[in-house]
Amino acid sequence: MKVAVFRKAHFNAAHRLYRKDWSFEKNDEIFGLCNNPNWHGHNYEIEVKVIGEVDKETGYLIDLKILNEIINKEVLNRFDHKNLNLDTEEFKDLNPTGENIVVVIYNLIRAKLDAKYELVVRLWETERNYFQFPA
Amino acid sequence: MKVAVFRKAHFNAAHRLYRKDWSFEKNDEIFGLCNNPNWHGHNYEIEVKVIGEVDKETGYLIDLKILNEIINKEVLNRFDHKNLNLDTEEFKDLNPTGENIVVVIYNLIRAKLDAKYELVVRLWETERNYFQFPA
Amino acid sequence: MKVAVFRKAHFNAAHRLYRKDWSFEKNDEIFGLCNNPNWHGHNYEIEVKVIGEVDKETGYLIDLKILNEIINKEVLNRFDHKNLNLDTEEFKDLNPTGENIVVVIYNLIRAKLDAKYELVVRLWETERNYFQFPA
Amino acid sequence: MKVAVFRKAHFNAAHRLYRKDWSFEKNDEIFGLCNNPNWHGHNYEIEVKVIGEVDKETGYLIDLKILNEIINKEVLNRFDHKNLNLDTEEFKDLNPTGENIVVVIYNLIRAKLDAKYELVVRLWETERNYFQFPA
Amino acid sequence: MKVAVFRKAHFNAAHRLYRKDWSFEKNDEIFGLCNNPNWHGHNYEIEVKVIGEVDKETGYLIDLKILNEIINKEVLNRFDHKNLNLDTEEFKDLNPTGENIVVVIYNLIRAKLDAKYELVVRLWETERNYFQFPA
Amino acid sequence: MKVAVFRKAHFNAAHRLYRKDWSFEKNDEIFGLCNNPNWHGHNYEIEVKVIGEVDKETGYLIDLKILNEIINKEVLNRFDHKNLNLDTEEFKDLNPTGENIVVVIYNLIRAKLDAKYELVVRLWETERNYFQFPA
């Protein structure tokens, strides 16, 4: 049976929920306050769950230094203190909803994580609204 | 692969754990302090997890306004500031244990939630005791 | 200069906010949902702050075993899994608002705590509503 | 002796720390990542502490409905889902540091709160950085 | 469909991450600060998830008194206020990493828990690092 | 009126509560489980509160970079992943109770903090036991 290791991290960012190809009225109807053209922001909290076999010799599933480096390089350096819509490649043409952000973060970490591990990412937008991929 | 959206909410209620068809002594033996005939209460916290496909156009799995309306109407309006045993249809003849409450809340939300979504409900009775359905 | 020691504890109870000498309508106007005649309840969390000089020999301000005994005997045994209005002497004729509960708990602990210590009590009724005495 | 009542609330906003009369380089030196010209954001959490005498008749220090109305109208409606620098009068020419925000919120609530109460406001910018006024 | 019941508990312990058959230098390279020969320690938090059918008569999945007795006897009495490496049989020759501790706790509880229940254990070493078995 | 800025940080350490000049029996009587000769440990959480005037130009009370450097250098580098009794000068002959640790941390930060600021330190040993200096 496999063990899971969890690591939490956080970043602060601004965003706006809208589609460029929709009118302001339609964006307002669907996205409400989140469609503020001057942006709003969040303290995003992420939980990275890595699943695999424990190394018998070290007792580690993964060296947390390695996992932290991936999280810092792929997620925090890219998104912390940024405007997700304006400052990132990932959300230039993708609406930065919690659902889309958690999938983007999953893909960024997945690309750097040894294929022997399974991965699940959870993202808190607020204490009461959060997202997970895969479900 | 599917994404999950989580939404938390809370309500405050009184309850008593007991069976009407048992003696006070038998209820006392099984339910202890929770069998106080004058009731006791909790701050119940619920987490509603909705699983499904993300809408490509909006980037939403479900409009949280709709999910909140279901939670408010089906759960909070029904149970908040109520005596679960005396004030509700659901627990008139069903012992309001955490296990039974979480299944009742699942069924109430399930009946109003689009069938394309999967649903999981978690209920905190205290910070250290909580319940989930399905497991 | 003095040091403070904090100890947290919790209890679950039912209560109703109302005055027996008021009509239901007047109670309803002032206390709203909290005036449910069938009661509602809370997970009450308390924080007991004791201020004084540190004993040079032990490095303790107060032996936490002693403080815990006072909290257990004076507060938890009295209020846990109780109906504050029906099951306690303290709230038989006193409306169990957060303000009144925190003062009652302060007085119960104060009566048992060595006079050389100062005391402050904080009471959480929910995560977002709480009370302190003295202010 | 007086009692204190606490009420928590939260809002999400974007901001940038900088002075318009400084060069980008000087702002960068002093405010670092917080000087991102495209903004970043936070989940701001506020705690409003109101100090006063308990009304003997109701057992309330202040009707929380009244306090909530003040917080909603003066703070949340003004700042929630806003860009503090662009969308508000208060920070048009005032750098929206935690220190300045907490004083502004204090003044907004103070202006609407009955003069018989004392007031203390605490503001969390992140879980690890927060601010209080008066100290 | 099955319900899950969760129960949290905590213990405080000292430990050192190292292999006796490795040089200090090799242990230092792999385990860094956690290899301090004079030990360091943690507030370990555990979550025990028990999955099964709800008893129709009581509305309980498991009597929490029984679950608490197992947790207290098998986990807290064994590990609380202990040096995991020196004071326990379990970690005399097993490196007390989070991964190994969570599997050991799972096995200790599994041996005492009725076979009709499924079991999942989660262990927090810090708020940001935690472990689960099975994954 | 003055503003307060709070900054939280944490470290993990082992310790033992005892006096070298007392018998094991006397230490056991006073310090109980905390007198384990093989040590136990905690996740210590600290909150540093700095009080002063806000700089009109920057809107800062203190540059958090400077405060973080003091906390890292004076507290975390000294105590993180250490045995407080064996690895530190401060507790070589001082019993590392929460009361003594919080005063030691206060003095270490006080010595490096500009005299124009007031300082208050809070230390959590567990979620339910914590300490503050000055009170």
Side-chain angles (χ1 to χ4, degrees):
Chain A
M1 274 196 293
K2 291 181 169 182
V3 169
V5 170
F6 298 83
R7 176 72 189 169
K8 284 189 124 178
H10 65 102
F11 61 94
N12 309 309
H15 77 156
R16 174 188 176 187
L17 299 188
Y18 76 122
R19 288 183 65 91
K20 293 174 186 170
D21 57 343
W22 282 2
S23 67
F24 183 82
E25 288 66 29
K26 179 146 189 204
N27 278 311
D28 189 52
E29 184 197 326
I30 303 296
F31 299 113
L33 290 174
C34 299
N35 178 38
N36 181 352
N38 285 332
W39 326 97
H40 68 286
H42 293 292
N43 301 335
Y44 290 98
E45 187 92 17
I46 64 168
E47 175 194 88
V48 178
K49 180 186 188 181
V50 177
I51 300 167
E53 303 286 347
V54 177
D55 180 283
K56 291 273 192 248
E57 202 174 20
T58 60
Y60 276 173
L61 179 120
I62 185 172
D63 186 335
L64 279 174
K65 281 197 298 289
I66 292 171
L67 183 58
N68 281 340
E69 277 169 21
I70 296 173
I71 295 171
N72 286 334
K73 194 169 166 195
E74 298 303 320
V75 184
L76 305 197
N77 289 356
R78 205 179 293 256
F79 298 141
D80 189 32
H81 282 75
K82 295 290 169 58
N83 183 307
L84 297 179
N85 307 68
L86 297 182
D87 295 332
T88 77
E89 285 302 312
E90 288 75 12
F91 299 104
K92 200 151 274 179
D93 297 302
L94 181 68
N95 199 8
T97 60
E99 292 90 332
N100 283 338
I101 300 172
V102 78
V103 173
V104 162
I105 290 175
Y106 174 91
N107 288 332
L108 288 167
I109 297 175
R110 180 71 280 177
K112 302 295 178 183
L113 190 70
D114 191 322
K116 72 182 176 184
Y117 298 118
E118 290 170 72
L119 174 67
V120 180
V121 178
R122 199 176 272 202
L123 174 84
W124 281 259
E125 200 174 75
T126 71
E127 279 186 28
R128 299 203 163 263
N129 292 345
Y130 39 109
F131 306 90
Q132 185 181 297
F133 182 76
Chain B
M1 276 196 291
K2 291 181 168 182
V3 169
V5 170
F6 298 83
R7 177 71 188 168
K8 284 189 121 176
H10 65 102
F11 61 94
N12 309 310
H15 77 156
R16 174 189 175 186
L17 299 188
Y18 76 121
R19 287 184 65 92
K20 292 175 185 169
D21 57 343
W22 284 1
S23 67
F24 183 82
E25 288 67 27
K26 179 146 188 203
N27 278 311
D28 189 52
E29 183 197 328
I30 302 297
F31 299 114
L33 290 174
C34 299
N35 178 39
N36 180 353
N38 284 332
W39 325 98
H40 67 286
H42 294 291
N43 301 336
Y44 290 98
E45 187 90 15
I46 65 168
E47 175 194 89
V48 179
K49 180 186 187 181
V50 177
I51 299 167
E53 303 285 347
V54 176
D55 181 283
K56 292 271 192 250
E57 202 174 20
T58 60
Y60 276 173
L61 180 120
I62 185 171
D63 187 336
L64 278 174
K65 283 197 299 288
I66 292 172
L67 182 58
N68 281 341
E69 278 170 21
I70 295 174
I71 295 171
N72 286 334
K73 194 169 167 195
E74 297 303 319
V75 184
L76 305 198
N77 289 356
R78 204 179 294 256
F79 298 140
D80 189 33
H81 282 76
K82 296 290 171 56
N83 182 308
L84 297 180
N85 307 69
L86 297 180
D87 294 333
T88 78
E89 284 304 312
E90 289 75 12
F91 299 104
K92 200 152 274 180
D93 297 303
L94 180 68
N95 200 8
T97 60
E99 291 91 333
N100 282 337
I101 300 172
V102 78
V103 173
V104 162
I105 291 174
Y106 174 91
N107 288 331
L108 288 167
I109 297 175
R110 181 71 279 177
K112 301 295 179 183
L113 190 69
D114 191 320
K116 71 181 175 184
Y117 298 118
E118 291 168 71
L119 175 66
V120 180
V121 178
R122 200 177 270 200
L123 175 84
W124 282 260
E125 200 173 74
T126 71
E127 277 186 30
R128 299 203 163 263
N129 292 344
Y130 41 108
F131 305 89
Q132 185 180 297
F133 182 78
Chain C
M1 276 197 292
K2 292 182 168 182
V3 169
V5 170
F6 298 83
R7 176 73 188 168
K8 283 190 121 177
H10 65 102
F11 61 94
N12 309 310
H15 77 156
R16 174 188 175 186
L17 299 188
Y18 77 122
R19 288 185 64 93
K20 294 174 185 169
D21 58 342
W22 283 1
S23 67
F24 182 82
E25 288 67 27
K26 179 147 188 202
N27 278 311
D28 189 52
E29 183 197 328
I30 303 297
F31 299 114
L33 290 174
C34 299
N35 177 39
N36 180 352
N38 285 332
W39 326 98
H40 67 286
H42 294 292
N43 301 335
Y44 290 98
E45 188 90 15
I46 64 168
E47 175 193 270
V48 179
K49 180 186 187 181
V50 177
I51 300 167
E53 303 285 348
V54 176
D55 181 284
K56 291 272 192 249
E57 203 175 18
T58 60
Y60 275 173
L61 180 121
I62 186 172
D63 186 336
L64 277 174
K65 284 197 298 288
I66 292 172
L67 183 58
N68 280 341
E69 278 170 19
I70 294 174
I71 294 171
N72 286 335
K73 192 168 168 196
E74 297 304 318
V75 184
L76 305 197
N77 290 355
R78 203 180 295 255
F79 298 140
D80 189 33
H81 282 74
K82 296 290 170 57
N83 182 309
L84 297 179
N85 306 71
L86 297 181
D87 295 332
T88 77
E89 284 303 313
E90 288 75 12
F91 299 104
K92 200 151 274 180
D93 297 304
L94 180 68
N95 200 7
T97 59
E99 291 90 331
N100 282 338
I101 300 172
V102 77
V103 173
V104 162
I105 290 174
Y106 173 91
N107 288 332
L108 287 167
I109 297 175
R110 181 71 278 176
K112 301 295 179 183
L113 189 69
D114 191 320
K116 70 183 175 184
Y117 298 118
E118 290 170 71
L119 175 67
V120 180
V121 178
R122 199 177 271 200
L123 174 85
W124 281 259
E125 200 174 75
T126 71
E127 277 186 29
R128 299 203 163 264
N129 292 344
Y130 39 108
F131 305 90
Q132 186 181 297
F133 182 77
Chain D
M1 276 196 293
K2 292 181 168 180
V3 169
V5 171
F6 298 82
R7 176 71 187 169
K8 282 189 124 178
H10 65 102
F11 60 95
N12 309 310
H15 77 156
R16 174 189 176 186
L17 300 188
Y18 76 122
R19 288 185 65 92
K20 292 174 186 169
D21 57 342
W22 284 2
S23 67
F24 183 81
E25 287 67 27
K26 179 148 188 202
N27 278 311
D28 189 53
E29 183 197 327
I30 302 296
F31 299 114
L33 290 174
C34 299
N35 178 40
N36 179 354
N38 285 332
W39 326 98
H40 66 287
H42 294 291
N43 301 334
Y44 290 98
E45 187 90 16
I46 65 169
E47 175 193 88
V48 179
K49 180 186 188 181
V50 177
I51 300 167
E53 303 286 347
V54 176
D55 180 284
K56 292 271 193 249
E57 202 174 19
T58 60
Y60 275 173
L61 179 120
I62 185 171
D63 187 335
L64 278 175
K65 281 197 299 288
I66 292 171
L67 183 57
N68 280 341
E69 277 169 21
I70 296 173
I71 294 171
N72 287 335
K73 194 169 166 195
E74 297 303 320
V75 184
L76 305 197
N77 290 356
R78 203 179 295 255
F79 298 140
D80 189 32
H81 282 75
K82 295 291 170 58
N83 182 308
L84 298 179
N85 306 69
L86 297 182
D87 295 332
T88 77
E89 284 303 312
E90 289 74 13
F91 299 104
K92 200 153 274 179
D93 298 303
L94 181 68
N95 199 8
T97 60
E99 292 90 331
N100 282 338
I101 300 173
V102 78
V103 173
V104 162
I105 291 175
Y106 174 91
N107 288 331
L108 288 167
I109 298 175
R110 181 70 280 177
K112 302 295 179 182
L113 189 70
D114 191 320
K116 71 182 175 185
Y117 298 118
E118 289 170 72
L119 174 67
V120 180
V121 178
R122 199 177 271 202
L123 174 85
W124 281 261
E125 200 174 75
T126 71
E127 278 186 27
R128 300 203 162 263
N129 292 344
Y130 40 108
F131 306 89
Q132 185 181 296
F133 181 76
Chain E
M1 275 196 293
K2 291 181 168 181
V3 169
V5 171
F6 298 83
R7 175 72 188 169
K8 283 189 123 178
H10 65 103
F11 61 94
N12 309 310
H15 76 155
R16 174 189 175 186
L17 299 188
Y18 76 122
R19 288 184 65 92
K20 291 174 186 170
D21 57 343
W22 284 1
S23 66
F24 183 81
E25 287 67 28
K26 180 150 188 200
N27 277 310
D28 189 52
E29 184 197 327
I30 302 297
F31 299 113
L33 289 174
C34 299
N35 178 39
N36 179 353
N38 285 331
W39 325 98
H40 67 287
H42 293 292
N43 301 334
Y44 290 98
E45 189 89 15
I46 65 169
E47 176 194 89
V48 179
K49 180 185 188 181
V50 177
I51 300 167
E53 303 286 347
V54 176
D55 181 284
K56 291 272 193 246
E57 202 174 20
T58 60
Y60 276 173
L61 179 120
I62 185 171
D63 187 336
L64 278 175
K65 282 197 299 288
I66 292 171
L67 183 58
N68 280 340
E69 277 170 21
I70 295 173
I71 294 171
N72 286 335
K73 193 168 166 195
E74 297 304 319
V75 183
L76 305 197
N77 289 356
R78 204 180 295 256
F79 298 140
D80 189 32
H81 282 75
K82 295 291 170 57
N83 182 308
L84 297 179
N85 306 69
L86 297 181
D87 295 332
T88 78
E89 284 303 312
E90 289 74 14
F91 299 104
K92 199 152 275 178
D93 297 303
L94 181 68
N95 199 8
T97 60
E99 292 90 332
N100 282 337
I101 300 172
V102 79
V103 174
V104 162
I105 291 174
Y106 174 90
N107 288 331
L108 288 167
I109 297 175
R110 182 68 280 177
K112 302 295 179 183
L113 190 70
D114 191 319
K116 71 183 175 185
Y117 297 118
E118 290 170 72
L119 174 66
V120 180
V121 179
R122 200 177 270 200
L123 173 84
W124 281 259
E125 200 173 75
T126 70
E127 278 186 29
R128 299 203 163 263
N129 292 344
Y130 40 109
F131 306 89
Q132 186 181 297
F133 182 77
Chain F
M1 274 196 293
K2 291 181 168 182
V3 169
V5 170
F6 298 82
R7 176 72 188 168
K8 282 189 123 178
H10 65 103
F11 61 93
N12 309 309
H15 77 156
R16 174 188 175 187
L17 299 188
Y18 76 123
R19 287 184 64 91
K20 292 175 187 169
D21 57 342
W22 283 1
S23 66
F24 182 81
E25 287 68 27
K26 179 145 189 204
N27 278 312
D28 189 54
E29 183 198 328
I30 302 298
F31 299 113
L33 290 174
C34 298
N35 178 39
N36 180 353
N38 285 332
W39 326 99
H40 67 287
H42 293 292
N43 301 335
Y44 290 98
E45 187 91 16
I46 65 169
E47 175 193 88
V48 178
K49 181 186 189 182
V50 176
I51 300 167
E53 303 286 347
V54 176
D55 181 283
K56 292 271 190 251
E57 203 174 19
T58 60
Y60 276 174
L61 179 120
I62 186 172
D63 187 335
L64 278 174
K65 282 197 298 288
I66 292 171
L67 183 57
N68 280 341
E69 277 170 21
I70 295 173
I71 294 171
N72 286 334
K73 193 169 167 195
E74 298 303 319
V75 184
L76 305 197
N77 290 356
R78 204 180 294 257
F79 298 140
D80 189 32
H81 282 74
K82 295 293 169 57
N83 182 307
L84 298 180
N85 306 69
L86 297 182
D87 295 332
T88 77
E89 284 303 312
E90 289 74 14
F91 299 105
K92 200 152 273 179
D93 298 302
L94 181 68
N95 199 8
T97 60
E99 292 90 330
N100 282 338
I101 301 172
V102 78
V103 173
V104 161
I105 291 174
Y106 173 91
N107 288 331
L108 288 168
I109 297 174
R110 181 70 280 177
K112 302 294 179 183
L113 190 70
D114 191 319
K116 71 182 175 185
Y117 298 119
E118 290 170 71
L119 175 67
V120 180
V121 178
R122 198 177 271 201
L123 174 85
W124 281 260
E125 200 174 74
T126 71
E127 277 187 29
R128 298 202 164 264
N129 292 344
Y130 40 109
F131 305 89
Q132 185 181 297
F133 182 76

